[in-house]
Amino acid sequence: MRIEFDLQATDGAARSGVIRTPRGDIRTPAFMPVGTAGTVKAMMPESVRATGADILLGNTYHLMLRPTAERIAALGGLHRFMNWERPILTDSGGFQVMSLASLRKLSEEGVRFSSHIDGSKHMLTPERSMEIQRLLGSDIVMCFDECPALPADDATVARSMQLSMRWALRSKEAFGDRPGHALFGIMQGGVTPALREESAKALVDIGFDGYAVGGLAVGEGQEAMFGVLDYAPGFLPADKPRYLMGVGKPDDIVGAVERGIDMMDCVLPSRSGRTGQAWTRRGAVNLRNARHRDDPRPLDEACTCPACRNYSRAYLHHVIKADEIISSMLLTWHNLHYYQELMAGLRAAIAEGRLAGFVADFHALRAGGDIEPL
């Protein structure tokens, strides 16, 4: 079976559909929780599934260093290793390596870098990235690319993008023909329309199962990101999934979906859960604040996650302040539940042709802020 995209409805530029894989369907627009090192922090895999997630993201860079891709392969692949039988997308390792500016050396061949764990030397190339992702057994594989930090001048962005396109071709050749597994190309080009278009044309000429919009959410700000998303998805084939990497906050997600994005991932809901921040229909709530310590009400009265169904704001405030592990567990579950509920709402609104009203209600409720303190 080949991985296929079934586009089922559109509303303006927004799309809803299904990515069909041998390991199960992925409903789009989809939010992918990040399981960096083979785990979504503070969550059991079955709990992640219970929030509504159809697919997880794994991290090539972290897994190649520890416990190593070869060890995971010997133990039956990443799905068995982490007890997640549904689809997994793995990033290429490029973004993490690029963030190690002081520890890496870039060349046409690839990137030579020192491990942040023990200082050991490694070489990551398009071919090695494809090999690692094959050993992991990921369902959706990402091309190896370079992601320059923004802002940067056009000449720098152009050089980086053209290198990424050469690496994309090498990634495709190294990936080979693997039925049941997909390879996505990554569009680069910063915030410059001509470079984005050049990148998209190069990727389409190579031919991929899906396409990512890369190089955003790297410091350029929401306005600039939306500016790129106003035109960039239109350069990509309409019959293939479009993935915005590393996004984001709920209002980033809604804006991206409005502009034609099908897939997103971000560490934000899980990372926020470990720091006492909850994402709700009314916006972000900091449960460390003293205003919650005597509040018997749930975090969100309309939410059906365990944190909201079984515990008070006062309890959540207490376990966060006491650094109890259950605080990370409950708030991560809540945040992932909220994100998946948002995606389900977006999918239904697109399918029923009422996205504009859904988005207006989303912003209006958030603008009102959290419930009044007692």
Side-chain angles (χ1 to χ4, degrees):
M1 173 184 175
R2 291 201 173 269
I3 291 180
E4 296 178 344
F5 181 47
D6 179 11
L7 181 59
Q8 296 178 333
T10 59
D11 188 346
R15 301 131 57 90
S16 67
V18 179
I19 301 170
R20 304 198 186 279
T21 85
R23 289 188 178 273
D25 290 349
I26 304 160
R27 298 162 293 176
T28 66
F31 178 80
M32 301 181 285
V34 177
T36 301
T39 172
V40 178
K41 289 181 174 62
M43 294 288 284
M44 299 284 282
E46 52 268 36
S47 306
V48 177
R49 177 61 179 155
T51 68
D54 293 334
I55 177 173
L56 292 185
L57 185 140
N59 189 280
T60 290
Y61 168 80
H62 288 282
L63 293 170
M64 71 177 277
L65 295 178
R66 185 173 57 194
T68 76
E70 287 75 13
R71 180 167 287 126
I72 290 172
L75 292 166
L78 184 56
H79 296 83
R80 179 180 294 179
F81 188 60
M82 68 178 291
N83 189 31
W84 175 267
E85 287 306 316
R86 294 192 59 80
I88 294 174
L89 179 149
T90 45
D91 61 14
S92 69
F95 179 79
Q96 281 73 25
V97 169
M98 297 312 155
S99 67
L100 299 171
S102 62
L103 299 173
R104 54 97 171 171
K105 183 177 181 187
L106 176 71
S107 68
E108 184 69 36
E109 183 186 1
V111 186
R112 190 173 300 282
F113 67 96
S114 302
S115 164
H116 73 285
I117 298 170
D118 60 10
S120 57
K121 306 291 189 203
H122 300 268
M123 182 72 183
L124 197 52
T125 64
E127 293 77 15
R128 176 61 176 150
S129 177
M130 294 304 102
E131 180 187 23
I132 292 166
Q133 294 181 79
R134 179 184 59 77
L135 289 167
L136 295 174
S138 55
D139 305 279
I140 299 178
V141 171
M142 300 305 298
C143 278
F144 188 61
D145 68 329
E146 187 197 7
C147 177
L150 297 180
D153 61 75
D154 276 3
T156 300
V157 173
R159 276 195 305 274
S160 172
M161 179 272 290
Q162 289 156 1
L163 175 62
S164 288
M165 295 308 98
R166 295 192 295 274
W167 285 357
L169 179 58
R170 286 167 56 190
S171 295
K172 175 73 181 286
E173 291 169 346
F175 179 80
D177 183 25
R178 297 179 59 206
H181 301 267
L183 179 66
F184 281 24
I186 305 175
M187 178 209 288
Q188 293 289 352
V191 295
T192 307
L195 294 179
R196 286 280 172 186
E197 186 172 19
E198 181 185 338
S199 179
K201 284 181 175 174
L203 293 174
V204 173
D205 284 347
I206 297 168
F208 291 95
D209 302 300
Y211 297 86
V213 181
L216 294 176
V218 289
E220 76 283 356
Q222 188 190 72
E223 185 178 351
M225 179 177 76
F226 284 171
V228 173
L229 294 179
D230 282 334
Y231 62 80
F235 294 146
L236 300 171
D239 63 345
K240 302 290 186 184
R242 299 166 179 165
Y243 165 30
L244 179 60
M245 307 177 76
V247 171
K249 293 180 179 177
D251 55 327
D252 293 333
I253 288 173
V254 170
V257 168
E258 286 183 285
R259 291 163 173 82
I261 294 297
D262 305 303
M263 305 165 69
M264 283 143 289
D265 77 279
C266 192
V267 297
L268 191 64
S270 48
R271 181 175 289 168
S272 296
R274 301 193 302 277
T275 61
Q277 185 177 50
W279 296 95
T280 77
R281 295 172 303 122
R282 297 176 180 273
V285 176
N286 182 359
L287 283 157
R288 289 184 172 277
N289 289 348
R291 61 165 283 188
H292 305 293
R293 66 187 175 193
D294 295 310
D295 196 332
R297 298 172 296 180
L299 172 59
D300 184 338
E301 73 284 353
C303 180
T304 59
C305 83
C308 294
R309 200 172 59 238
N310 300 325
Y311 300 94
S312 66
R313 288 179 174 228
Y315 180 77
L316 295 173
H317 170 79
H318 159 67
V319 290
I320 289 162
K321 297 293 281 187
D323 285 330
E324 291 291 346
I325 292 169
I326 195 173
S327 65
S328 295
M329 296 162 62
L330 289 173
L331 284 189
T332 301
W333 192 321
H334 166 80
N335 285 342
L336 291 175
H337 178 102
Y338 168 70
Y339 268 61
Q340 295 300 341
E341 198 170 60
L342 176 61
M343 303 319 293
L346 286 163
R347 289 192 294 265
I350 294 165
E352 295 163 15
R354 52 177 180 82
L355 182 64
F358 179 90
V359 171
D361 290 346
F362 167 84
H363 288 300
L365 193 54
R366 286 167 62 85
D370 193 18
I371 55 176
E372 290 294 319
L374 290 174

